[in-house]
Amino acid sequence: EVQLLESGGGLVQPGGSLRLSCVTSGFTFSNYAMTWVRQAPGKGLEWISGLSHNAGTINYADSVKGRFTISRDNSKNTLNLQLNSLRPEDTAVYYCAKEGPVAGTFNSWGQGTLVTVS
Amino acid sequence: DIQMTQSPSTLSASVGDRVTITCRASQSIDIWLAWYQQKPGKAPKLLIYRASSLESGVPSRFSGSGSGTEFTLTISSLQPDDFATYYCQQYIRDWTFGQGTRVEVK
């Protein structure tokens, strides 16, 4: 069974930093692209960052470019997201997700971790 | 950036109804469109990819169609478990979600 478990969320002041992690199991992590999607309270989904199976290709949404850094450790089946220079508008539930049946889709998600910037 | 616009924002329906949700892209995305279902407090679930391909394990009452800039998600006979919010997502260039369509009890 594919499982993704995020951690690292919490309350942080504006300008602060957090590091989110997503520990995975049940699939060959090193074979799949991974992504982070966030959802502000009561709002829709926003893709924020993704990277290829070997981290050779990394992409960021304009809203987080230069502030957030995505990385992966294929030896530990773990995806990470470093959040710096946090703003109140970064308050959201952050989900990690695994690439789906075609590149660009996401067919397994974690339960999410809440980041509150206040 | 490619913008995705869903309509309606909210849809009131009854069990057994045929439900259709529309998603429009600001430019052509060919068939690179996915649909997700999300229930309150839960992660999204992939339903449809490549505009019309059904994800494994998803009931056949869900179907997708369209290409270019206009797409639809249809639920042929709404079931109690289908009351949720639905999102379209393009993946031809970066990744963008629509704003969501909430399907509520009429």
Side-chain angles (χ1 to χ4, degrees), chain A residues 35 37 39 43-47 50 59-60 62 95 100-112, chain B residues 1 32-34 36 38 41-46 48-50 55 87 89-91 94-99:
Chain A
T35 201
V37 174
Q39 186 169 36
K43 303 298 184 182
L45 302 170
E46 180 189 14
W47 171 84
N59 299 95
Y60 297 98
D62 287 344
Y95 294 101
V102 297
T105 63
F106 317 120
N107 70 346
S108 295
W109 298 64
Q111 85 292 345
Chain B
D1 290 4
W32 305 117
L33 184 101
Y36 297 82
Q38 186 181 33
K42 300 295 186 181
K45 173 186 175 183
L46 177 65
I48 302 281
Y49 61 94
R50 208 181 283 140
E55 168 69 345
Y87 294 92
Q89 176 227 338
Q90 67 83 15
Y91 51 98
D94 290 341
W95 300 262
T96 315
F97 291 90
Q99 83 279 13

